[in-house]
Amino acid sequence: MNDILLTDKLSRRHIRFCLSESNQWEKYESKDRVKWTLVKTDVTLNEIVKEKEEVKNRNYLNLFRKIFKR
């Protein structure tokens, strides 16, 4: 229940932030949502918000590229 899931559509990468048993946030990445690899431990909430904004901006950029490409 404490997971934050993000999908970067441009790089086709899935990001998951989980709260560990020691109350630290951990960052996992996956290409297929099945095999998750631990990327970073002890992530702060500021880093999570920053990553979320970056993924959101990349997704908007990708959408605009697809629209104007046609």
Side-chain angles (χ1 to χ4, degrees):
M1 289 294 175
N2 294 326
D3 293 351
I4 299 172
L5 299 171
L6 304 171
T7 301
D8 187 354
K9 295 185 186 264
L10 186 61
S11 65
R12 295 184 178 141
R13 154 179 85 117
H14 306 284
I15 304 166
R16 182 177 76 184
F17 292 99
C18 296
L19 195 58
S20 68
E21 293 177 3
S22 60
N23 289 331
Q24 293 181 344
W25 288 97
E26 299 175 339
K27 179 180 178 182
Y28 292 88
E29 288 187 3
S30 174
K31 288 284 187 180
D32 57 2
R33 289 188 184 169
V34 176
K35 293 176 62 179
W36 293 92
T37 57
L38 179 63
V39 177
K40 187 175 178 184
T41 58
D42 196 24
V43 180
T44 64
L45 285 177
N46 288 333
E47 292 173 335
I48 294 173
V49 171
K50 184 178 176 184
E51 182 76 26
K52 186 175 179 178
E53 287 297 317
E54 288 175 0
V55 167
K56 184 176 87 174
N57 290 336
R58 283 192 300 258
N59 286 341
Y60 280 135
L61 182 62
N62 187 37
L63 176 65
F64 290 140
R65 283 182 182 163
K66 284 185 176 185
I67 290 172
F68 291 121
K69 187 176 180 180
R70 294 178 182 218

